[in-house]
Amino acid sequence: MLGKLDIRTLLGRIYPLLAILIGVLIVSLPMGPYETLDTQLEYNTTRGVLRWGYPYLDSSGPPSVDSYGDLFNMPPMGFYTQALHFTIFGASLENGIMLITLFGLGCTVLVYLLAQEFYGKTTGLFAAAFFALAPWELIMTRAFLIDTQCLFLSLAYLYVGILAIRKDSLKLAGFSGLLFAAALITKQFAVFMLIPLAILYIYHRQTA
């Protein structure tokens, strides 16, 4: 009986966010996949990881141990994550887009958590809905790019970092640092996420 009540309570708390995620899926799944030169380069690089174990561009030529493609000038972690997904589910663009869409949904959840942390549940829901249905976000979650992975890890780092500051937790601070490192070696634009957390830390120390 307690289990049923707990499930009902949990559903009562998360069903608005769940409805947003389902709505985003309904809107986004018929879209794309969007293909550009960058998506093709990143797809070929991920296949290069499967072929050689390193993020080299795979030109789909005959396999050769001694002949590598060009090394892609991006941090490697995103390609290894995508290669692991390909290993499990198969190396196809459609399967790759599925992974990116899941990261996009994760970004929506993190936007909700961040907004809720500062302004409450209602603001969190509005922030998640506006973010998830923004044209840029819809396109990015249907394009085979490492940007969405980087955004997910960056938002996760920011959220955990905020909790670490507010709870004065060394363990959360360490976990936040690991998330930032993962974001940075996915794409270097993550470095800009140091700014809001640094501002919050300085403000918290001055008002503590």
Side-chain angles (χ1 to χ4, degrees):
M1 192 67 182
L2 288 175
K4 291 181 179 179
L5 289 175
D6 289 342
I7 292 173
R8 288 177 182 176
T9 302
L10 178 62
L11 289 176
R13 290 178 179 176
I14 69 169
Y15 86 86
L17 178 61
L18 192 60
I20 291 172
L21 296 178
I22 293 172
V24 170
L25 278 176
I26 292 173
V27 173
S28 66
L29 287 180
M31 301 172 62
Y34 296 102
E35 297 185 56
T36 65
L37 177 60
D38 285 340
T39 61
Q40 190 60 50
L41 286 173
E42 294 193 15
Y43 176 67
N44 287 341
T45 302
T46 304
R47 294 203 316 175
V49 173
L50 294 175
R51 185 177 181 182
W52 296 298
Y54 298 99
Y56 291 97
L57 284 166
D58 181 10
S59 61
S60 300
S64 173
V65 175
D66 300 322
S67 177
Y68 294 93
D70 296 321
L71 186 64
F72 198 44
N73 62 340
M74 285 287 182
M77 181 169 172
F79 302 115
Y80 284 103
T81 302
Q82 291 167 168
L84 176 62
H85 181 78
F86 279 175
T87 301
I88 298 171
F89 297 100
S92 69
L93 182 60
E94 291 74 17
N95 287 337
I97 294 295
M98 178 179 70
L99 175 65
I100 302 303
T101 302
L102 290 176
F103 274 118
L105 293 177
C107 290
T108 301
V109 173
L110 288 167
V111 168
Y112 166 78
L113 292 173
L114 284 164
Q116 183 189 42
E117 186 68 24
F118 286 102
Y119 304 109
K121 181 178 179 180
T122 302
T123 302
L125 291 172
F126 275 103
F130 284 131
F131 170 81
L133 294 174
W136 176 87
E137 174 63 11
L138 288 171
I139 291 173
M140 292 302 293
T141 56
R142 301 299 293 165
F144 192 79
L145 296 169
I146 59 175
D147 299 68
T148 306
Q149 288 189 59
C150 178
L151 180 59
F152 173 81
L153 292 168
S154 298
L155 291 173
Y157 140 77
L158 183 60
Y159 178 65
V160 176
I162 290 169
L163 294 182
I165 291 171
R166 290 190 164 180
K167 296 182 179 182
D168 195 22
S169 171
L170 187 60
K171 289 182 179 180
L172 286 175
F175 184 46
S176 176
L178 289 175
L179 288 169
F180 174 73
L184 190 64
I185 60 174
T186 298
K187 196 160 188 177
Q188 292 171 332
F189 285 129
V191 71
F192 293 107
M193 295 299 287
L194 290 171
I195 298 173
L197 196 60
I199 292 173
L200 181 65
Y201 176 75
I202 294 170
Y203 173 79
H204 181 78
R205 289 296 297 269
Q206 289 178 344
T207 57

